[in-house]
Amino acid sequence: MQVSDKGDARQRLIDAALRTFGEHGFGGASTRAIARQAGANIAAIPYYFGSKEGLYRAVATHIADRITGRIGPVFAAASDRAGALSPDEAREALMRIADHFIAMMVGADEGALWARIIVREQFDPTEAFDILYERVMGPYYAALGDLLAVIFREPAESDRVKLRVFALIGQALIFRIAGAAIDRRMGWDGYTPERLDQVRAVVREHLAAVIGEGSAP
Amino acid sequence: MQVSDKGDARQRLIDAALRTFGEHGFGGASTRAIARQAGANIAAIPYYFGSKEGLYRAVATHIADRITGRIGPVFAAASDRAGALSPDEAREALMRIADHFIAMMVGADEGALWARIIVREQFDPTEAFDILYERVMGPYYAALGDLLAVIFREPAESDRVKLRVFALIGQALIFRIAGAAIDRRMGWDGYTPERLDQVRAVVREHLAAVIGEGSAP
DNA sequence: GTCTATAGTCGGATAGAC
DNA sequence: GTCTATCCGACTATAGAC
């Protein structure tokens, strides 16, 4: 990501900003708090990023980089030859993607931070939304649609297939978005590997019910 | 929406605060903007609500009231006698609730405002989360769990049933939470009655796949 | 109950030394 | 590149007139 090593205050600022923007939102996060957490000077923010908004955009780019690094390969393997897959192969690919998606967005601590920024951008899109949509959401929606199209034998660009993709993503993403409600309802205090297994099992089961069987692990 | 325009600055402030807190978050919303939008004086906020935070809590209570008014009756009808329902009756009740839930959270303009506050409270719970969980989320999760328990013949308080409830809610809620991504992917600019029908059809179809058939409209 | 005026605080950005 | 010092605007809350 960063090439120069003299400017690692820059990277520390992005990490601190990811946490702080995620926790308090853009308006609620102060550059003073971000700089303090990064062990950097307040003036370093206008210096490196031009403005608080520039820092926010840098955070979005960082998130896109990390997500691409984590699940980009899994998608690439499936979508490069989506048209040539059999329905059962497509089912298997979907299950594999679901597992990786849950591990990343729900299981990984990083995912909690990413989800907060991404959800905030859904409600009030800024330039950061463009970055995130172009680099990760859009391509992955398309890849998932290609797989569903094979399974349901419908056009990948049909509204029905596109909407199914969102519904399927929603049943997994809720476990990150509704964290506080889930903790209270389940008596949990965040995810453990065992709890994540329970979530994964339920999501897989619902996914299998929708796309049909023939998709055992 | 307005009952009286004299002396009801309090209600106008709540309405304006719902919009403004929803759009910009607690930190990003200024009492100046809220007061201006309400046609009230800034000093009316400390006067009526004690503080900006008091106004925020009043907004949460307002949301709970409105949600309870809209779908409370639908839940009450089903959950009063959930134990006595047949699986097919429980399926039917679930479908009916899903329709109302989508109409409220996805279809209604108000729902967009409520969702923003609720999601923000998930990420950073305050007293407002307690209000919303106790008054609406908790009871409705329990009612949905009772229905699923009948259908799957599993204990309503089992982790599996509780998690299934979240997954099923997630596939509907995503259509409100991921609004910007959906608009971009579908080429939409918000929901129309026709688009809402498409969403409802997909959610019903996935729901039917999970809970089993016997639940035609 | 509603207003104006203002106190007191904190925010982002800049200038300029080193 | 990193720092201190500072400007200036915006914020919440209060005091007190009417």
Side-chain angles (χ1 to χ4, degrees), chain B residues 9 11-20 23-24 28-46 49 55:
Chain B
Q11 190 55 45
R12 293 201 313 275
L13 280 168
I14 290 177
D15 291 340
L18 171 60
R19 268 190 299 276
T20 313
E23 279 169 24
H24 306 294
S30 77
T31 53
R32 279 176 161 80
I34 293 168
R36 192 184 332 116
Q37 200 180 342
N41 193 275
I42 315 170
I45 290 171
F49 306 99
L55 173 56

Side-chain angles (χ1 to χ4, degrees), chain B residues 64-146:
Chain B
D65 290 342
R66 299 281 299 164
I67 293 181
T68 302
R70 266 194 84 126
I71 57 166
V74 187
F75 272 99
S79 72
D80 280 354
R81 49 190 210 93
L85 294 178
S86 72
D88 272 354
E89 287 170 326
R91 287 191 184 92
E92 206 183 327
L94 260 182
M95 283 290 182
R96 201 162 45 238
I97 288 171
D99 284 348
H100 280 86
F101 183 78
I102 291 172
M104 177 185 72
M105 288 306 283
V106 184
D109 290 342
E110 285 178 313
L113 301 172
W114 303 340
R116 294 161 87 116
I117 305 263
I118 292 170
V119 169
R120 286 182 203 275
E121 283 298 317
Q122 298 281 348
F123 286 138
D124 279 290
T126 67
E127 279 180 51
F129 180 78
D130 294 331
I131 295 169
L132 291 165
Y133 190 89
E134 303 287 337
R135 298 254 332 259
V136 299
M137 295 184 218
Y140 297 161
Y141 293 149
L144 292 171
D146 289 344

Side-chain angles (χ1 to χ4, degrees), chain A residues 152-165:
Chain A
F152 293 119
R153 297 183 172 80
E154 289 183 50
E157 290 301 309
S158 69
D159 283 356
R160 277 178 56 80
V161 165
K162 288 181 188 170
L163 291 174
R164 279 173 178 280
V165 167

Side-chain angles (χ1 to χ4, degrees), chain A:
Chain A
M1 250 150 282
Q2 269 327 102
V3 187
S4 88
D5 30 77
K6 47 183 175 178
D8 79 339
R10 188 191 147 90
Q11 191 55 45
R12 291 202 313 276
L13 280 169
I14 290 176
D15 292 340
L18 172 59
R19 267 191 301 275
T20 313
F21 284 136
E23 279 169 24
H24 303 109
F26 182 81
S30 76
T31 53
R32 283 177 159 82
I34 293 168
R36 193 185 331 118
Q37 199 181 343
N41 193 277
I42 316 169
I45 290 171
Y47 178 76
Y48 282 112
F49 305 100
S51 68
K52 185 184 180 182
E53 262 139 20
L55 173 55
Y56 188 67
R57 283 192 297 271
V59 166
T61 303
H62 172 79
I63 293 172
D65 289 341
R66 302 279 301 163
I67 293 181
T68 302
R70 265 193 85 126
I71 56 165
V74 186
F75 272 98
S79 72
D80 280 355
R81 47 190 212 93
L85 294 179
S86 73
D88 273 353
E89 287 170 326
R91 287 190 182 92
E92 207 183 329
L94 261 181
M95 284 289 182
R96 201 163 45 241
I97 289 172
D99 284 349
H100 280 86
F101 183 77
I102 291 171
M104 177 186 72
M105 287 306 281
V106 184
D109 290 341
E110 286 179 313
L113 302 172
W114 302 341
R116 295 162 85 115
I117 306 262
I118 291 169
V119 169
R120 286 182 202 277
E121 284 297 318
Q122 298 281 348
F123 286 136
D124 278 292
T126 66
E127 278 181 52
F129 180 78
D130 294 331
I131 295 168
L132 291 165
Y133 190 89
E134 302 288 336
R135 299 253 333 257
V136 299
M137 296 183 217
Y140 297 161
Y141 293 149
L144 292 170
D146 288 344
L147 292 172
L148 282 189
V150 170
I151 294 168
F152 293 119
R153 297 183 172 80
E154 289 183 50
E157 290 301 309
S158 69
D159 283 356
R160 277 178 56 80
V161 165
K162 288 181 188 170
L163 291 174
R164 279 173 178 280
V165 167
F166 282 110
L168 291 174
I169 290 176
Q171 64 154 357
L173 219 46
I174 193 77
F175 289 100
R176 179 52 85 192
I177 294 172
I182 286 165
D183 277 356
R184 188 162 300 195
R185 174 80 175 134
M186 306 300 294
W188 291 356
D189 56 346
Y191 289 104
T192 63
E194 291 74 23
R195 291 168 183 168
L196 198 64
D197 281 343
Q198 289 183 267
V199 169
R200 190 184 295 111
V202 166
V203 171
R204 286 183 71 110
E205 200 164 343
H206 286 203
L207 177 55
V210 170
I211 65 177
E213 290 303 332
S215 42

